[in-house]
Amino acid sequence: MRRQASTPRDGWEKTIEAQGLAYHRSAHPVHLTRPYWDESVHYTFTMEEVLDLEGQVEELHGMCLEAVAHVVESGRHRDFAIPEWAVPEVTESWRRGDPHVYGRFDLRYDGTGPAKLLEYNADTPTSLVESSLIQWFWLKDAYPGDDQWNCLHERLVDRWRELPLQSGPAHFAWTNMDETGEEVMTLGYLQETAQQAGLTTVAVAMEDIGWDSRTLRFVDMEQRVIRTLCKLYPWEWAVADPFGPQAVAQQVSMTWVEPLWKMLLSNKALLAVLWEMYPGHPNLLPAYLDGPRDLPAHIEKPLLGREGASMRIVSPEGIQRTEGDYGAEGYVYQEFRALPDFDGWRPVLGAWVVGDEAAGLGIRETSGLITDDSSSFVPHRIVP
C-alpha cells in the first residue's frame, strides 16, 4: 500500500459531475481548500494485498452475521437501544432471512498487518457512487492498463436479480431533508443498477409515501402499493417516526432494502459483541459497552453516530472530541489506534460487501484523527 501523487485530468470537475458526482461541492464544507474528490493523489495496492483484504472482509462479514444470530438468540437488543416494541419484528426479520443487498466496512489498514474493523455501515452506506463509478472512470482515463478492486456495479446488478421480489415496481426513496444531493444521487445509482437487472423502478420522496388505512399498505403518490422499498433513511429514524409501527409491521408484506435486522449490524454495539465472541481476533480492536476498562487509550463512539460526530478520544496525550448531538442512546468504548500516517494524511479503507461477498474499495482521507464530513475521497489502483 503506497500513496502516490498524480496529475488531475483537465476539466475533472465537469467530468465527475457528468458521471454522477454532482454533490462533490455541496456535501463538503465550503471553507476547505481541498476538494472532496481529490485525484491529485491516489493509493496503490498489489494484487496479493487486495486478495488478502478480500478474504479478511468476507471473514469479518461472516463474523458479523454470527453476532446478529447471537444477539437475537440471547435477547441482547437493549444493548443496541432498540425499542422493546420493535424487538419481535427485528427478531423475525432475521429468522426469516429477509434479503440484504450491500454494506461498507470502515477499516484501519497500513499495508503491514491485518486490517482492523472500525465500524460496519450496513444500513445506509454512502460514498457508493464515487467507489463504484467515479474512481473506475478515473482509472480508465489515467491508468488504462491497471486494475482496481472494484466489481461493485456488476455485483449490485447481479444481487438485484437474486432477490425474491414481489410483483410491481421497486421504489427508491430519498428524503427532502437531503440538502446536498448525495442521497438522491446514491439512490439514483442504485435504481440504475436495479433497472439493468431488469426491474421496473420508481423514484419517490420519503415524505410522499402515504399510508392507505383501508388496505393497510404504504402507497406512492399514484396510489400504487409499495412492495419493494430501497431507502437511505436509517431504521433508527424510521422506528421513531409516527408511522414507525406500520413500517415495522410491514416486514412480511414488503421487501425493504436494507431489512430491519440490519439495525443490529449498523449499530456500534456490534463492536463490543464481536470482541466478546472473538477475543483477540486479528481484525478486531478491543471494545466494551460498560466503559473503557483497562484500555490505555480509547475512543468513545455513540451507538448510532454518523460522520464522526459526538466522539471522544482519551489517550495519554490528552482528550480530543468532535461536536454532535448523538450519544443519548449510549456509547461503545473501543481501543484507540491512530489511523496510519501517509504524508500527513490518514486514510480509512471503505471495503464494500454486496450480498455476502467483498466487492470493492473506497478510500477517504483526513488530516485529523477522526474521519468526518471534511474528509476527501481519493481513488486507488492495483499495480503489478
Side-chain angles (χ1 to χ4, degrees), residues 350-366:
W352 292 89
V353 172
V354 176
D356 297 314
E357 296 181 299
L361 175 68
I363 301 173
R364 292 186 69 182
E365 283 188 329
T366 178

Side-chain angles (χ1 to χ4, degrees), residues 186-302:
T186 302
L187 281 160
Y189 174 60
L190 284 166
Q191 184 176 355
E192 179 183 337
T193 61
Q195 289 170 342
Q196 291 186 18
L199 302 183
T200 301
T201 66
V202 174
V204 64
M206 290 291 291
E207 292 81 358
D208 289 336
I209 295 175
W211 176 255
D212 188 331
S213 58
R214 298 167 302 169
T215 62
L216 302 180
R217 300 295 296 270
F218 287 109
V219 295
D220 63 17
M221 293 292 284
E222 305 300 322
Q223 294 298 308
R224 288 172 295 204
V225 172
I226 298 177
R227 295 182 171 87
T228 299
L229 182 65
C230 179
K231 61 177 183 54
L232 285 178
Y233 195 76
W235 269 113
E236 64 264 22
W237 295 1
V239 298
D241 282 349
F243 284 93
Q246 285 92 329
V248 169
Q250 288 288 308
Q251 296 304 298
V252 176
S253 56
M254 289 175 59
T255 298
W256 296 77
V257 178
E258 294 295 305
L260 186 61
W261 61 263
K262 280 280 189 96
M263 289 186 78
L264 298 173
L265 281 190
S266 60
N267 187 303
K268 294 179 185 64
L270 173 74
L271 301 171
V273 173
L274 284 170
W275 187 251
E276 291 174 22
M277 296 177 65
Y278 305 97
H281 192 283
N283 293 127
L284 300 178
L285 293 168
Y288 309 102
L289 290 171
D290 58 358
R293 300 191 185 181
D294 57 352
L295 295 176
H298 70 273
I299 181 168
E300 300 172 9
K301 298 181 176 181

Side-chain angles (χ1 to χ4, degrees), residues 147-163:
D147 203 353
Q148 192 174 81
W149 182 11
N150 187 358
C151 55
L152 270 163
H153 190 87
E154 297 83 358
R155 290 276 172 83
L156 285 168
V157 173
D158 289 344
R159 185 58 179 161
W160 288 116
R161 291 184 178 131
E162 294 169 356
L163 297 186

Side-chain angles (χ1 to χ4, degrees), residues 335-351:
E335 179 184 294
F336 174 70
R337 195 172 301 186
L339 295 171
D341 188 324
F342 286 79
D343 304 323
W345 293 93
R346 300 179 183 274
V348 165
L349 271 60

